Amino acid sequence: MRRFSLTCALLMATVPFIGSAQSASEAGPYKVIKTAKVGGQGGFDYINADVDGRRLYIPRRGMPAHITIYDLDTLGPAGEVPDVNGHGAVVDPKTNHAFTSSKPVVMWDTKTLAPIKNIEVQGNPDGIFFDAFNQRVYIFSHVAPFATVIDSKDGSVVGTIDLGGAPEQAVSDGKGHVYVAIEDKANVAVVDAKTMAVTAHYDLQGKGGTCAGLALDVKNRILFAACRNPQNMVVLGADDGKILASLPIGRGTDGAVFNGNTMEAFSSQVDGTLTIVKEVSPTKFEVEQNLQTMPSAKTLTLDTKTNHVILMGAEFPPAPPRPAQGGQGNPNPMIPGSFTILVVGK
């Protein structure tokens, strides 16, 4: 997600919803139920909900760089980790160890917020993923090594993985399989979590490209790949990569989640829309709603306790129109104090 760093800002508020997903009704069960204009300085990329610890983690990049932490229930400030210039943060709830995708990777204690150690890694850390299956943290880079794997118990580097391309979002089935969206190759890499070997690449066959979001229905073993060009959510089998459906989404997706409680997949877009896909059955999928959120609210996280989807965005001065395809942002600086957290629910 580094190409959409907020140091170059994101998207203008004047850009309308663009793309074939426009045909779906904005009416639906979801709405923005809460906003919190928390302000603060620095760009932003990933947002992460620690459901067990009831904390929301948002790294703010730039000057001053730091990890901002909010109460997941109230969105009130809950602390910060200073001097960390990272893209994303994850938490191991068993050890209370947290990590950020930075160089070096910073490991800290979620209870005291005290740094534990710096972990030297190669490449250009961007995405980050925690797999509870064997308590490992994946640091993703768009250049080699594409993935560095860290043991969340002690912060040791277990090894690296050549994913064959630029990784974006990852998901785990909790049974030893990690799936990674490969942005520049239009495929999904399948990784054996035990051996750290790539066992397959699922080609999206032109149904979607430049995929930046990936979600998983663990129960029915179905992947949802959110792509920018074509602007589609490609639905495929997690065991064989068979494409089950391809549905239109908004412009500039940069993240996806699946809620097993409601059987819905969500894709957040830089154009200020949230596309919601309903899994009617393991073989039937439909666009349930295209919800207007906030231009620049391109990444998201899921609170499975409340079934709320949480996004973040900011306000920017108008910018020249951008192409319908892709996820290009606004070159103008963010309006000071406009950084906002949004909560979407029924």
Side-chain angles (χ1 to χ4, degrees):
M1 296 189 190
R2 60 192 169 132
R3 71 179 61 181
F4 306 108
S5 169
L6 259 287
T7 55
C8 63
L10 289 175
L11 186 72
M12 60 187 181
T14 56
V15 174
F17 182 86
I18 302 172
S20 54
Q22 205 168 15
S23 59
S25 173
E26 291 183 14
Y30 286 91
K31 60 184 178 181
V32 178
I33 60 175
K34 184 177 183 179
T35 60
K37 186 175 283 189
V38 297
Q41 296 181 345
F44 54 94
D45 199 353
Y46 294 93
I47 183 171
N48 180 54
D50 174 11
V51 177
D52 295 331
R54 308 309 297 163
R55 290 291 182 265
L56 185 68
Y57 293 88
I58 304 177
R60 303 298 302 274
R61 305 180 66 238
M63 296 297 290
H66 56 296
I67 308 292
T68 55
I69 307 170
Y70 301 90
D71 186 293
L72 191 55
D73 297 303
T74 68
L75 301 185
E80 69 172 48
V81 181
D83 303 319
V84 179
N85 194 17
H87 286 261
V90 294
V91 172
D92 179 353
K94 288 186 178 180
T95 62
N96 295 317
H97 291 163
F99 301 79
T100 187
S101 51
S102 54
K103 192 172 184 177
V105 172
V106 178
M107 174 182 178
W108 78 91
D109 186 291
T110 60
K111 298 297 184 183
T112 65
L113 304 186
I116 297 174
K117 65 188 297 186
N118 289 343
I119 305 165
E120 296 296 333
V121 296
Q122 300 302 310
N124 187 12
D126 179 15
I128 188 169
F129 172 68
F130 171 69
D131 186 9
F133 170 73
N134 53 2
Q135 292 180 271
R136 289 180 175 178
V137 176
Y138 291 71
I139 306 295
F140 295 123
S141 168
H142 282 194
V143 297
F146 295 114
T148 300
V149 185
I150 297 171
D151 188 320
S152 67
K153 296 184 291 297
D154 59 11
S156 60
V157 174
V158 181
T160 61
I161 306 173
D162 183 355
L163 295 168
E168 281 287 325
Q169 193 172 3
V171 290
S172 169
D173 65 359
K175 299 179 180 179
H177 303 96
V178 174
Y179 304 88
V180 187
I182 306 300
E183 182 185 66
D184 60 339
K185 303 297 183 183
N187 68 47
V188 175
V190 185
V191 177
D192 185 314
K194 294 180 180 179
T195 65
M196 296 192 301
V198 176
T199 60
H201 283 96
Y202 296 158
D203 189 350
L204 299 183
Q205 303 174 21
K207 301 294 185 181
T210 318
C211 296
L214 190 64
L216 173 65
D217 170 7
V218 174
K219 178 182 177 182
N220 293 316
R221 304 196 59 74
I222 296 171
L223 291 162
F224 298 82
C227 306
R228 299 185 188 132
N229 187 15
Q231 296 174 192
N232 289 326
M233 180 175 283
V234 183
V235 186
L236 59 158
D239 294 322
D240 56 10
K242 178 182 178 182
I243 295 179
L244 305 174
S246 180
L247 301 167
I249 60 175
R251 173 186 178 278
T253 179
D254 219 6
V257 294
F258 183 83
N259 188 349
N261 298 326
T262 63
M263 303 305 289
E264 293 163 324
F266 301 79
S267 169
S268 53
Q269 286 94 219
V270 74
D271 64 3
T273 60
L274 180 70
T275 300
I276 303 157
V277 170
K278 181 71 174 182
E279 182 180 325
V280 181
S281 76
T283 58
K284 183 179 179 181
F285 313 86
E286 59 187 27
V287 176
E288 180 179 26
Q289 186 179 0
N290 283 304
L291 177 69
Q292 293 291 328
T293 57
M294 182 180 190
S296 80
K298 67 188 181 74
T299 57
L300 75 173
T301 188
L302 175 66
D303 182 357
T304 53
K305 179 181 177 181
T306 62
N307 294 321
H308 290 163
V309 174
I310 304 168
L311 309 98
M312 58 186 175
E315 299 171 16
F316 300 91
R322 297 299 181 106
Q325 303 284 3
Q328 298 93 336
N330 185 322
N332 293 321
M334 180 176 66
I335 295 174
S338 69
F339 183 71
T340 302
I341 301 172
L342 302 91
V343 180
V344 170
K346 294 182 177 179

